Amino acid sequence: MIGGGQLARMTHQAAIALGQSLRVLATAPDEPAAQVTPDVVIGSHTDLDALRRAAAGASALTFDHEHVPTELLDTLIGEGVNVAPPPAALVHAQDKLVMRRRLEALGAPIPRYTALESVDDVEAFSRAVGGPVVIKTVRGGYDGRGVVLTRDAGHAREVVARYLADGVAVLAEERVQMRRELAALVARSPFGQGAAWPVVETVQRDGICVTVIAPAAGLSDETSSAAQKLALSLASELGVVGVLAVELFETVEGGLLVNELAMRPHNSGHWTMDGARTSQFEQHVRAVLDYPLGDTGLLTPVTVMANVLGAAQTPAMGMDERLHHLFARLPDAKVHLYGKTERPGRKIGHVNIPGRDAEYLRERAERAAHWLSHAEWTDGWDPHR
């Protein structure tokens, strides 16, 4: 797996249960996955020799992130490496303009967009859509980085001028009037088998996913089925192998628009570790090895996931003591920590709580995540009082 982050770490956990071992290409020995696997190659994902060392003798090469240059992957394929997903698919998760154009050609529902060559282009686009626009970098950017929600045409001109002056390619999209954000997570094998998990609601704050509710509450069967079918269709049309996350906007009218694609295990699927018969990490391993895919049914009516994000100031209380208090108060919390040092806003873990009532579970999961981040209970509870 190229990349030594938390996704590789959790994929390694799933691989162990299947009798597989995971080699990771990490940039440093203290990265999350490098801490837990004995087979680590240290190097950069932009270094062909490092990629070759990681791929040597492996049954399949897959990804913790989508940033490996496709020309390097084409070279590996020419040398006989099984790359999953293949670069012809992966490019749609790397380049937002390529993705938008391909989805448009496939007739998939997407926001109105345009490539930008000058500040005049964004002003013309803003007039055409009749409102504020979103500026996105064509490549790179995640967790809200590389995305600017502009206030008006003047602000949009300023943002675009700054990016273009730095030589960064950008596009503009209409600002969608949405009810909420959803995610349809699916997997596809080289054989062509597909599997879909229930559609989830993702709650964002400052561009970062903070909570996932699985399945999305109040979503009609018709809309849920449409989202799953759309995601499975895109996986097939793009030639995806492995997990595909299709991030969606549910509009105020009840329609669906594709926002982003990710071709790897995804934050919106972390709930599957404790709430689904087959986790996204096991499913990804099955898919890239062309095993028959696993059952994606629910183990419990609802599972809520909350991300543990580093606090503005790291608490004096150590994480082990925080865990002790959390488990004493919320024994149903399932904690997954990534082995990362704590920094403000950094994803250092997540908490899953399965059960029946979505609002009740959300309150508990978010309270648990806040406690692990800040060592303070949001309701003021004190175990020593």
Side-chain angles (χ1 to χ4, degrees):
M1 193 167 228
I2 305 305
Q6 65 261 25
L7 301 180
R9 181 185 178 106
M10 291 182 278
T11 301
H12 180 62
Q13 293 175 250
I16 291 169
L18 301 183
Q20 301 292 335
S21 59
L22 187 74
R23 178 185 300 144
V24 299
L25 176 64
T27 58
D30 62 347
E31 287 192 347
Q35 296 173 21
V36 298
T37 177
D39 196 353
V40 182
V41 174
I42 302 298
S44 169
H45 62 273
T46 60
D47 181 342
L48 181 58
D49 288 337
L51 293 169
R52 283 177 171 142
R53 283 185 285 128
S59 301
L61 182 145
T62 190
F63 307 97
D64 168 277
H65 60 74
E66 293 109 339
H67 305 311
V68 183
T70 52
E71 59 270 20
L72 300 185
L73 297 177
D74 286 330
T75 299
L76 294 179
I77 290 173
E79 295 172 356
V81 176
N82 173 22
V83 177
L90 192 65
V91 68
H92 297 94
Q94 295 177 332
D95 189 305
K96 294 180 179 65
L97 193 54
V98 169
M99 181 263 290
R100 282 281 177 254
R101 287 170 173 164
R102 184 66 188 282
L103 294 186
E104 186 176 34
L106 292 172
I110 59 174
R112 287 176 289 178
Y113 75 97
T114 189
L116 299 174
E117 302 294 336
S118 70
V119 291
D120 292 336
D121 291 342
V122 73
E123 191 164 349
F125 181 73
S126 182
R127 284 196 303 269
V129 300
V133 299
V134 181
I135 308 301
K136 294 183 177 181
T137 56
V138 170
R139 284 182 172 263
Y142 62 95
D143 285 346
R145 300 177 182 90
V147 177
V148 181
L149 307 180
T150 64
R151 298 182 297 273
D152 51 39
H155 183 215
R157 287 178 67 92
E158 291 175 17
V159 171
V160 172
R162 187 168 62 247
Y163 275 126
L164 294 181
D166 292 337
V168 178
V170 287
L171 59 82
E173 295 180 357
E174 65 177 315
R175 186 94 170 257
V176 176
Q177 296 298 311
M178 64 176 176
R179 179 185 172 204
R180 57 181 171 175
E181 294 190 55
L182 304 172
L185 195 74
V186 299
R188 181 179 178 273
S189 72
F191 181 74
Q193 184 186 11
W197 287 271
V199 178
V200 303
E201 178 180 356
T202 63
V203 180
Q204 317 287 325
R205 186 171 63 235
D206 298 327
I208 299 176
C209 177
V210 293
T211 305
V212 173
I213 303 160
L219 191 66
S220 70
D221 290 343
E222 181 182 8
T223 303
S224 178
S225 178
Q228 290 174 311
K229 288 178 180 177
L230 173 62
L232 288 168
S233 174
L234 292 178
S236 178
E237 291 284 356
L238 300 178
V240 173
V241 173
V243 167
L244 169 69
V246 181
E247 298 180 46
L248 299 159
F249 296 134
E250 183 184 14
T251 67
V252 292
E253 295 85 11
L256 297 173
L257 295 173
V258 177
N259 178 28
E260 303 279 0
L261 302 178
M263 295 183 192
R264 51 173 170 75
H266 190 255
N267 202 172
S268 67
H270 289 353
W271 68 273
T272 62
M273 299 175 77
D274 301 296
R277 296 186 184 279
T278 307
S279 78
Q280 65 166 342
F281 299 102
E282 179 184 337
Q283 198 81 296
H284 191 74
V285 174
R286 288 193 189 209
V288 300
L289 295 178
D290 209 7
Y291 290 169
L293 300 181
D295 184 349
T296 54
L298 297 171
L299 290 173
T300 184
V302 180
T303 301
V304 175
M305 183 223 75
N307 276 323
V308 181
L309 305 175
Q313 182 158 351
T314 301
M317 183 187 294
M319 183 59 77
D320 185 66
E321 187 176 353
R322 281 177 257 167
L323 279 172
H324 181 101
H325 288 294
L326 174 67
F327 291 149
R329 188 179 187 195
L330 302 175
D332 54 343
K334 306 294 288 185
V335 176
H336 303 271
L337 297 176
Y338 306 153
K340 290 181 171 181
T341 55
E342 297 178 60
R343 291 204 302 261
R346 190 185 198 190
K347 291 178 185 175
I348 58 173
H350 68 270
V351 178
N352 289 334
I353 302 190
R356 294 187 173 276
D357 183 272
E359 283 304 313
Y360 172 75
L361 296 174
R362 179 176 177 177
E363 180 184 31
R364 289 171 73 82
E366 291 179 347
R367 180 176 294 163
H370 186 89
W371 166 256
L372 289 177
S373 297
H374 296 77
E376 61 183 25
W377 294 106
T378 53
D379 61 352
W381 187 75
D382 182 352
H384 302 296
R385 268 209 308 259

